[in-house]
Amino acid sequence: MLTRSPAPTNPLDRLTEAGLAWGEGTYARLAAPIGAAAFALYILLTAVMAWFMPDANWDMLPYLAVAEEGAYPDVQALHDYAYGTVKAGVSADEYKILTDDSGGFRSHMAGNAADFHSLLGMYRIKFLYAEILSTMSSVMSPVEAMRVVSVLSVLLFGTIALLWLRSEGALALAPVVGAVLIMADFGDAARAATPDLLCSALFLGGLFAYVRGREVATAILLFLAFMARPDNIVFLAIFAVLLVAFRQKAWGALAGFAASLAAYFAISHWAQHPGWWSHLWFSSIEQHYNMDGFDPPFSAVAYLRAFAVSMARAVSLNNWVGVSVLALAGWFASSRAGFKLDCRAGILFAALVLGVLAKFTVFPIHDTRIYFPNLIPPFLLLAGPFMALWASAGIKGRRAAVLHVVPGDKS
């Protein structure tokens, strides 16, 4: 039998108890606005960091080259433009890191325009990002354009996440989503001059539109997310198969997949992409200095070695595996408690999890940024069930207190 704790006699204890009771009651009443404010503050801080402390990574060079290929048809001129633009937009120390690794890959590319140009097919395929940079570079420096895209992507992602939580009546859980974003290296993705966060924001918007039944917006946003990172075709294919298998009416998602599938082959041909195995070899097996005509024979041994090494690095160096397991644990806990996702949301949750597994299987690379688009939506899908579980636990707790708490021990 439960009994009340003896009333505190020490003035400090009474003051502490009163303060905790006030804080608990205040947060219970204002959990939604407090959660929304805390999440918004985190998003704004991340956007500020993306602008003032950007990550100068080597991928900036080929992305800037791809964006201005039309203006510099000569290979050497394009090389000079890309390196000169980055040199003007970053610090001297950062530029040295990007161009001098003591005779390694970066040093070689800084001095060899033809080999640098041979790599562009792997970046040209990110069509939407390159076109946005090309358009924005007419009114600002290209490096600033990269930062603007990153900042806007952060703000768009945060806004959609808040709207999703609000639609589920789950703004009180916004700090939890913020914590998951931190674990998923959201800040690193925001600071990087890559299309990853742009893709993630458009992808999140497409999934939110799907959940809300906005089919036209779903098709457009999922297609745009694919155009920013075509490897999203893996998720879209799994999602389409599950929708058809479970006879779920969602023509927006199916249309987005169909358009992306058609565009995938067209863009791959136009971009002169080296192909799946050559790209995988470059990214996960060995950096080849010239990709023109590079077509190594497939090797199961090399693939399995790359898979094992990438998995070891993912588990020990990155967070996407842990975040994915945490999402599965949340789904299991809410389901066991009787608060399950509906069919439409359940299909999406399954597609997101399977999409991560399939993407790693098809192209084993350990970086969290590759899987980031799939990491956060599962937690947003679970926000509704967890709010229902929270409310149910509160009601049961109050009933238990009324039935079992007695004034004192009567033994």
Side-chain angles (χ1 to χ4, degrees):
M1 182 177 290
L2 298 175
T3 62
R4 286 197 181 100
S5 300
T9 57
N10 186 296
L12 182 59
D13 290 342
R14 289 200 299 269
L15 180 62
T16 301
E17 185 175 283
L20 290 173
W22 177 84
E24 181 182 353
T26 301
Y27 185 79
R29 292 194 305 274
L30 303 175
I34 290 174
F39 185 82
L41 181 61
Y42 168 67
I43 292 296
L44 290 174
L45 178 62
T46 304
V48 169
M49 295 293 287
W51 179 260
F52 289 104
M53 296 183 64
D55 176 32
N57 58 80
W58 190 85
D59 285 346
M60 296 171 64
L61 293 158
Y63 280 127
L64 289 174
V66 166
E68 294 301 323
E69 274 187 298
Y72 298 91
D74 179 72
V75 170
Q76 186 64 53
L78 183 63
H79 180 274
D80 293 344
Y81 161 78
Y83 277 84
T85 300
V86 171
K87 184 177 183 179
V90 302
S91 69
D93 289 341
E94 289 172 327
Y95 185 73
K96 181 176 176 60
I97 292 173
L98 296 179
T99 57
D100 184 4
D101 58 353
S102 301
F105 176 84
R106 296 185 176 193
S107 299
H108 178 85
M109 291 302 161
N112 194 306
D115 287 353
F116 174 76
H117 188 267
S118 75
L119 306 180
L120 298 187
M122 297 182 291
Y123 296 86
R124 199 180 288 122
I125 199 169
K126 280 62 171 273
F127 177 81
L128 180 63
Y129 186 63
E131 287 301 308
I132 291 174
L133 292 181
S134 179
T135 302
M136 295 179 65
S137 294
S138 62
V139 295
M140 63 182 69
S141 79
V143 175
E144 282 186 347
M146 285 182 152
R147 286 192 289 174
V148 169
V149 171
S150 294
V151 170
L152 293 178
S153 298
V154 170
L155 297 176
L156 178 60
F157 189 97
T159 300
I160 295 170
L162 275 179
L163 289 174
W164 193 323
L165 289 170
R166 181 175 178 271
S167 71
E168 297 287 345
L171 286 174
L173 296 179
V176 177
V177 176
V180 174
L181 283 172
I182 294 172
M183 288 189 290
D185 295 334
F186 181 65
D188 291 344
R191 294 174 56 243
T194 64
D196 303 313
L197 197 55
L198 172 64
C199 167
S200 298
L202 295 169
F203 185 75
L204 188 67
L207 299 188
F208 180 49
Y210 162 81
V211 170
R212 303 298 293 172
R214 305 292 191 267
E215 302 295 350
V216 174
T218 299
I220 293 173
L221 289 169
L222 290 180
F223 178 69
L224 289 176
F226 160 82
M227 295 295 284
R229 275 202 69 98
D231 57 357
N232 265 347
I233 194 68
V234 175
F235 162 80
L236 291 173
I238 293 172
F239 194 26
V241 169
L242 291 178
L243 287 171
V244 172
F246 287 92
R247 300 179 181 179
Q248 186 68 219
K249 294 182 179 178
W251 68 262
L254 295 175
F257 166 67
S260 299
L261 184 62
Y264 179 81
F265 295 102
I267 293 176
S268 296
H269 178 75
W270 168 82
Q272 299 177 351
H273 187 264
W276 164 72
W277 180 241
S278 298
H279 194 163
L280 176 59
W281 187 287
F282 175 87
S283 298
S284 299
I285 300 174
E286 182 183 13
Q287 283 184 322
H288 198 70
Y289 283 5
N290 192 304
M291 296 298 288
D292 287 338
F294 179 61
D295 187 20
F298 176 75
S299 167
V301 173
Y303 169 81
L304 292 174
R305 185 184 297 117
F307 187 96
V309 171
S310 294
M311 178 56 71
R313 289 176 176 173
V315 172
S316 59
L317 301 177
N318 301 110
N319 299 331
W320 63 269
V321 175
V323 173
S324 299
V325 171
L326 185 62
L328 286 171
W331 166 78
F332 179 77
S334 64
S335 297
R336 290 282 291 180
F339 297 90
K340 299 182 179 181
L341 296 170
D342 62 33
C343 183
R344 190 176 179 90
I347 290 172
L348 177 55
F349 188 95
L352 289 165
V353 174
L354 292 174
V356 171
L357 296 174
K359 188 180 286 189
F360 184 82
T361 302
V362 171
F363 202 100
I365 188 169
H366 66 92
D367 295 345
T368 297
R369 65 183 180 84
I370 304 297
Y371 312 98
F372 183 83
N374 291 47
L375 297 182
I376 307 304
F379 294 92
L380 297 173
L381 287 170
L382 292 172
F386 267 98
M387 286 301 296
L389 177 60
W390 186 357
S392 175
I395 293 172
K396 291 179 180 178
R398 286 192 293 271
R399 287 176 179 171
V402 170
L403 293 174
H404 297 294
V405 174
V406 297
D409 188 357
K410 295 183 179 181
S411 59

